[in-house]
Amino acid sequence: MTVAENISLGINDRQRRRDLRSRIVEVSTAYGLKLDPDQTVLHLSVGERQRVEIVRCLLQSPKLLIMDEPTSVLTPQEIGRLFQTLRRLASEGCAILYISHKLDEIRALCDSATIMRQGRVVAECDPRQETAKHLAELMIGTTLRPSYHLHEGEAQGVAQRLAVDRLSLASDREFGVSLGAISFSVAAGEVFGIAGIAGNGQNELMAALSGESLADRPEAIRIDGVPSGLLARRNGATSPPVSCPKNATTTAPCAT
């Protein structure tokens, strides 16, 4: 099903279904949650599917809007645009229940806040008059102590298990994201994180690292020093990394 077909399932009013495709484009653009009405939902990431749910709701001109962690997959710019729209809806009389663990968002957006702990209401306040630290203390029921940061030092003599050097890869999907000159390395014993909003090349990167897609050249990916960029998983000459996909319920993990 396409995005437009999926959204139409939640709209019973025939009048609202008219010109649905153009309205999806209009509303999603206004909210900073751009969607292609003709894109197949099957090929959307989890984050992009959440955008479909939000736009479906907004298309129905709600009088009560309940949003549960709506910004978990949005960029800061998209969050800003979403907040502008929520403020506009509130000024027009729409009641908004906003559920979030992001205290800065609660302080920036909400007129009042109810804080719960272990299924009970423990406090009510004006979050604009509270600090994020105090709100957090109300949530956990104890005083937060100052954190101590260790100085990061460069590991000496530690072997590199994975090295990616200017990896470039054109996506074979119509709405995929091409990789351009990606470089990083992961040493033995190191936990290396990659942060990004859903739909910004994570799938393509994991496909290249796991051997499901071939890199532009062998040296683009090295595993234990061995050039592996053109090594398909089935060849098995060098074991590609073990990967667990983000959609673990619908995609089998890649294991060596």
Side-chain angles (χ1 to χ4, degrees), residues 84-163:
Q84 289 177 2
T85 303
L86 294 179
R87 293 187 183 102
R88 185 178 71 223
L89 287 173
S91 68
E92 294 171 352
C94 179
I96 300 174
L97 175 59
Y98 191 91
I99 303 170
S100 177
H101 71 282
K102 298 181 179 180
L103 301 182
D104 287 337
E105 292 184 4
I106 296 295
R107 296 176 63 237
L109 178 67
C110 299
D111 301 311
S112 61
T114 296
I115 300 171
M116 300 181 64
R117 184 172 66 247
Q118 296 182 347
R120 296 179 180 274
V121 174
V122 296
E124 295 180 356
C125 66
D126 181 346
R128 298 167 297 185
Q129 305 300 321
E130 302 287 348
T131 64
K133 179 177 181 294
H134 187 220
L135 292 175
E137 290 175 341
L138 292 173
M139 290 171 59
I140 64 177
T142 187
T143 301
L144 292 175
R145 298 179 179 179
S147 59
Y148 297 94
H149 300 279
L150 297 177
H151 293 287
E152 183 179 357
E154 184 176 351
Q156 300 293 330
V158 178
Q160 283 190 350
R161 294 301 186 196
L162 173 66

Side-chain angles (χ1 to χ4, degrees), residues 26-187:
E26 178 184 356
V27 171
S28 64
T29 301
Y31 277 66
L33 306 171
K34 292 185 178 181
L35 290 172
D36 180 352
D38 300 321
Q39 189 171 359
T40 304
V41 174
L42 176 64
H43 295 149
L44 297 179
S45 68
V46 174
E48 290 167 330
R49 293 179 186 184
Q50 185 179 17
R51 297 180 191 179
V52 174
E53 296 294 334
I54 294 175
V55 170
R56 176 190 287 116
C57 181
L58 297 178
L59 281 169
Q60 300 179 66
S61 303
K63 298 301 181 184
L64 170 63
L65 183 60
I66 301 176
M67 307 196 80
D68 187 2
E69 303 286 355
T71 64
S72 58
V73 295
L74 302 183
T75 65
Q77 294 80 8
E78 290 172 333
I79 292 173
R81 287 192 291 267
L82 176 61
F83 280 14
Q84 289 177 2
T85 303
L86 294 179
R87 293 187 183 102
R88 185 178 71 223
L89 287 173
S91 68
E92 294 171 352
C94 179
I96 300 174
L97 175 59
Y98 191 91
I99 303 170
S100 177
H101 71 282
K102 298 181 179 180
L103 301 182
D104 287 337
E105 292 184 4
I106 296 295
R107 296 176 63 237
L109 178 67
C110 299
D111 301 311
S112 61
T114 296
I115 300 171
M116 300 181 64
R117 184 172 66 247
Q118 296 182 347
R120 296 179 180 274
V121 174
V122 296
E124 295 180 356
C125 66
D126 181 346
R128 298 167 297 185
Q129 305 300 321
E130 302 287 348
T131 64
K133 179 177 181 294
H134 187 220
L135 292 175
E137 290 175 341
L138 292 173
M139 290 171 59
I140 64 177
T142 187
T143 301
L144 292 175
R145 298 179 179 179
S147 59
Y148 297 94
H149 300 279
L150 297 177
H151 293 287
E152 183 179 357
E154 184 176 351
Q156 300 293 330
V158 178
Q160 283 190 350
R161 294 301 186 196
L162 173 66
V164 178
D165 179 34
R166 294 167 294 154
L167 170 64
S168 296
L169 181 66
S171 176
D172 58 359
R173 291 175 47 193
E174 183 178 359
F175 298 101
V177 177
S178 297
L179 304 179
I182 304 297
S183 297
F184 62 88
S185 62
V186 185

Side-chain angles (χ1 to χ4, degrees), residues 173-216:
R173 291 175 47 193
E174 183 178 359
F175 298 101
V177 177
S178 297
L179 304 179
I182 304 297
S183 297
F184 62 88
S185 62
V186 185
E190 179 184 12
V191 179
F192 185 88
I194 297 178
I197 303 300
N200 278 271
Q202 295 93 324
N203 290 345
E204 289 79 5
L205 177 60
M206 287 306 301
L209 295 179
S210 63
E212 296 173 29
S213 297
L214 300 183
D216 54 335

